[in-house]
Amino acid sequence: MPEFFRRYQKFFFIVITIVIVISFTFFGTYEAFSGPKEKDTVAFTAVDGTKIYSSELNDLVNFLAVDSQAHLYWNVAWGANPFNDDVITNNFLRTGVAEVIVAPYLPKFQKELNSRLEKEKRFMPYANPSAPFVGVEQVWSYFAPEIKKTFDALRIQPDAASTEAFSERVKLFLAERSFPSSYLKQVLRYQESQQSWLTPDADLPRRDLALFGYHGLQDWFGKDFLQLMAEYIINTAKIAEAKGFQVSKEEALQSLMANLQKSFKEAKANPYFAVRSPSEYYLDALRRLNMDETRLVNLWRQVLLFRNYFNVNTDSLLISSLPYNDFFKRQNEYVEANVFKLPTELCFQKRADVEN
């Protein structure tokens, strides 16, 4: 029997190979065509009545989650989104608009935010194992006192979903952006070198010094926050179009390329940056975003429409009524007075009238 199999083993191999190939081809193709597909459901209805699908909303959320400066907060050479010039940070967080939009939704975010706050209260900033005075909090006190102030203010909050706690979270996020972990690491290295007796921490170059270990907006505020901001952008873009604002695909693409060029120029300064040209950077960024140029341009058109509408109406926004309260309070006040006036013949206009 073994002799029989040895003699005809080539035929057996051929037959088995044919059967396996046919089976994989048939069942693989069958799964591809008949297998269950993920349905693109309606995420929400926009202000103009159009249905916005989950794929469109998720594209915008993923785009907004990572910005062009992400490499400053990640312990990697690169990985930023070169097309996103900090939309959420500049248009929502720095302006205070985010706090106004989020306020009614804070109870919905309560569970997620409180979970984050518990983690943040346990967080211990880095200090050199051999010399604790060479540490993050000491660097903050000299170079970024606002980070230390808001760091302490956030961690004493009893409820992360309160308006005060959310405001402190925004302040701390913005404060860290003015002094990111990449700068922090450089200062710590310099302080180590100033102590001749101190052995530098060999693990410091690999340590992640980002505050709370957060690397992006989703870490800081959660995905629900990003979805809310994305919905706001989409709705504002719809309103802008209805009022006659226009942004062509060519304008959107030109704006994206300007953002890419700026990001590429900054990233080239990093010796570990491996991309050789803007075109290669462009293709790699699209791959990481998992979208094609058409989807990217359509997405950015909405952001530009939102920005144009927002910028035009900025001067009409009433941030605080305090400067106007006193004026309106007193506008109807009046005083009755008696006016005593000399007759016309006794009202002298010049010195000569008196002499005459």
Side-chain angles (χ1 to χ4, degrees):
M1 194 69 173
E3 181 65 27
F4 173 79
F5 281 109
R6 278 196 298 272
R7 181 179 301 176
Y8 298 103
Q9 63 181 347
K10 290 183 180 180
F11 297 103
F12 283 113
F13 289 150
I14 293 172
V15 171
I16 291 170
T17 302
I18 292 172
V19 171
I20 291 173
V21 170
I22 292 174
S23 299
F24 273 92
T25 303
F26 174 75
F27 289 108
T29 307
Y30 178 78
E31 282 293 325
F33 286 99
S34 64
K37 295 182 179 179
E38 186 177 349
K39 189 176 180 181
D40 193 6
T41 57
V42 175
F44 70 98
T45 301
V47 290
D48 64 347
T50 58
K51 298 184 186 302
I52 306 300
Y53 287 87
S54 297
S55 58
E56 182 181 350
L57 180 63
N58 289 336
D59 274 353
L60 185 53
V61 167
N62 293 335
F63 180 90
L64 297 172
V66 182
D67 57 47
S68 60
Q69 299 297 308
H71 59 280
L72 297 176
Y73 314 97
W74 294 7
N75 201 28
V76 293
W78 56 296
N81 175 4
F83 305 117
N84 178 9
D85 56 353
D86 302 354
V87 175
I88 298 295
T89 301
N90 294 329
N91 295 112
F92 289 95
L93 298 175
R94 292 192 192 282
T95 59
V97 172
E99 294 175 49
V100 176
I101 297 172
V102 166
Y105 297 90
L106 285 174
K108 178 183 175 183
F109 300 161
Q110 186 173 31
K111 183 177 179 180
E112 186 177 15
L113 288 176
N114 278 327
S115 175
R116 277 179 168 75
L117 185 58
E118 289 303 314
K119 171 187 174 182
E120 291 156 3
K121 288 181 177 181
R122 296 191 299 268
F123 178 77
M124 297 294 293
Y126 167 83
N128 186 288
S130 304
F133 64 87
V134 177
V136 168
E137 294 199 58
Q138 286 70 26
V139 174
W140 285 344
S141 63
Y142 286 104
F143 297 95
E146 186 64 22
I147 296 181
K148 174 61 177 170
K149 177 183 174 182
T150 50
F151 175 76
D152 292 335
L154 174 62
R155 300 207 303 170
I156 63 172
Q157 296 297 323
D159 180 12
S162 67
T163 54
E164 183 181 355
F166 189 81
S167 177
E168 294 297 339
R169 182 175 298 276
V170 171
K171 290 177 186 176
L172 184 55
F173 172 82
L174 295 175
E176 192 199 19
R177 294 188 75 81
S178 65
F179 193 71
S181 55
S182 57
Y183 300 169
L184 179 61
K185 191 172 291 187
Q186 292 176 20
V187 174
L188 288 170
R189 270 302 189 202
Y190 174 78
Q191 288 186 339
E192 285 183 336
S193 66
Q194 296 304 296
Q195 310 296 329
S196 57
W197 56 270
L198 179 62
T199 302
D201 182 1
D203 292 332
L204 182 58
R206 296 184 295 274
R207 282 185 180 272
D208 183 3
L209 297 185
L211 191 54
F212 306 127
Y214 293 166
H215 299 134
L217 287 159
Q218 187 165 328
D219 292 337
W220 276 92
F221 301 100
K223 189 172 183 180
D224 287 341
F225 168 81
L226 286 172
Q227 286 183 340
L228 185 61
M229 298 300 104
E231 289 178 18
Y232 187 87
I233 289 173
I234 292 171
N235 278 323
T236 306
K238 297 290 185 185
I239 295 171
E241 284 186 307
K243 291 184 178 292
F245 288 78
Q246 294 182 349
V247 174
S248 67
K249 293 182 179 180
E250 290 73 21
E251 287 177 293
L253 183 59
Q254 185 177 4
S255 175
L256 287 167
M257 291 303 103
N259 291 344
L260 178 90
Q261 290 285 354
K262 181 181 178 182
S263 178
F264 181 75
K265 185 177 179 180
E266 293 174 352
K268 277 199 307 182
N270 192 317
Y272 301 103
F273 187 65
V275 178
R276 293 168 294 183
S277 65
S279 59
E280 185 181 345
Y281 195 31
Y282 173 75
L283 293 174
D284 183 79
L286 281 179
R287 177 185 59 79
R288 283 185 280 109
L289 286 170
N290 194 28
M291 64 177 66
D292 55 30
E293 184 178 288
T294 301
R295 287 163 61 193
L296 178 66
V297 169
N298 288 335
L299 176 156
W300 191 244
R301 277 189 67 251
Q302 294 185 82
V303 174
L304 293 181
L305 282 166
F306 152 74
R307 277 183 168 170
N308 292 346
Y309 184 75
F310 188 87
N311 292 336
V312 165
N313 289 280
T314 297
D315 292 338
S316 67
L317 295 177
L318 181 60
I319 303 301
S320 173
S321 61
L322 290 177
Y324 307 95
N325 286 343
D326 191 57
F327 171 78
F328 286 113
K329 181 180 178 181
R330 299 178 183 278
Q331 68 174 347
N332 293 322
E333 293 183 359
Y334 62 92
V335 176
E336 291 186 1
N338 295 322
V339 178
F340 297 91
K341 189 176 180 181
L342 290 171
T344 306
E345 59 272 17
L346 296 179
C347 294
F348 305 126
Q349 304 295 324
K350 51 188 178 181
R351 186 179 182 86
D353 293 340
V354 178
E355 293 175 350
N356 292 334

